[in-house]
Amino acid sequence: IVVWQDQRNLNVGPDYFATDLFGQLISGASGKPLWATGGIALIKASRNQTKQILAFDSASNGFWMCWMDYRAGTGGASDIYGTRIKSDGGAVWSAYPTGVAICTAANNQDQPAMCLSGNGMVSVWHDARSPATEYAGSIYAQKVFPDGALPVEISSFTAVATGEPGTVNLSWTTATEIKTAGFELLRQ
């Protein structure tokens, strides 16, 4: 499969400079395209989708893909999205036709990478959610299960100093937890 940014929907609606992700499956035997002439739209969403990464999934004879996504449109910040693609180019997850949001934290999430992991995909990216780390940033990762589910979706997280040196109380709320046995907290 070959995937590219495509501007064929340019000048349509409010997304004047929008780029979508299109793809074409090429026959390994003949080198000829197997999908429609000019490729097919894999991801059509507002604003830009870019820096796509692909992996072939031999178990399903399809593909996993993650990318930088600007659909939120907040100050030009990018997020990380992902999807699964059937061998005919259709979306595996009909509930997520424009991909599943892997990370939509504040500021930029960029430079995605990924690998297949037994029963799913692990997406890794550079994350500048903390303004103090805009250029240095941190590396984050998220597991995505074959059905598009994320193991844990955190809706809030706070850290409050207790007054004792080196002691902080952490508190969080999860919106969803799938196949999660617990949490491991690490200090940097």
Side-chain angles (χ1 to χ4, degrees):
I1 186 171
V2 177
V3 178
W4 64 91
Q5 288 177 254
D6 197 300
Q7 294 181 328
R8 67 182 74 178
N9 295 320
L10 195 64
N11 299 325
V12 177
D15 299 326
Y16 190 75
F17 295 105
T19 58
D20 295 316
L21 297 178
F22 277 67
Q24 180 63 267
L25 187 63
I26 306 296
S27 167
S30 69
K32 293 183 179 181
L34 297 176
W35 296 343
T37 302
I40 59 174
L42 298 174
I43 299 296
K44 286 179 70 174
S46 61
R47 298 187 174 77
N48 292 323
Q49 291 72 48
T50 184
K51 305 256 186 211
Q52 62 275 10
I53 304 293
L54 289 161
F56 177 68
D57 182 358
S58 59
S60 69
N61 199 33
F63 304 88
W64 287 82
M65 181 170 71
C66 67
W67 65 93
M68 283 173 49
D69 197 297
Y70 292 88
R71 72 182 71 177
T74 52
S78 58
D79 297 317
I80 303 296
Y81 275 71
T83 194
R84 287 183 65 203
I85 303 164
K86 297 177 188 176
S87 61
D88 67 1
V92 171
W93 305 325
S94 58
Y96 308 107
T98 60
V100 63
I102 295 173
C103 183
T104 59
N107 299 323
N108 280 327
Q109 288 76 51
D110 54 24
Q111 308 307 317
M114 71 171 190
C115 67
L116 299 185
S117 171
N119 67 341
M121 177 262 288
V122 175
S123 180
V124 180
W125 63 92
H126 169 260
D127 196 301
R129 67 183 65 183
S130 172
T133 62
E134 178 66 29
Y135 297 104
S138 298
I139 302 298
Y140 280 71
Q142 176 67 62
K143 168 92 174 190
V144 181
F145 288 107
D147 63 359
L150 304 177
V152 176
E153 182 181 354
I154 296 178
S155 55
S156 70
F157 187 92
T158 58
V160 179
T162 64
E164 295 180 36
T167 305
V168 175
N169 284 333
L170 302 176
S171 175
W172 64 88
T173 304
T174 59
T176 59
E177 293 182 39
I178 300 171
K179 301 177 184 174
T180 303
F183 296 92
E184 181 178 345
L185 303 176
L186 304 174
R187 183 181 77 157
Q188 290 186 359

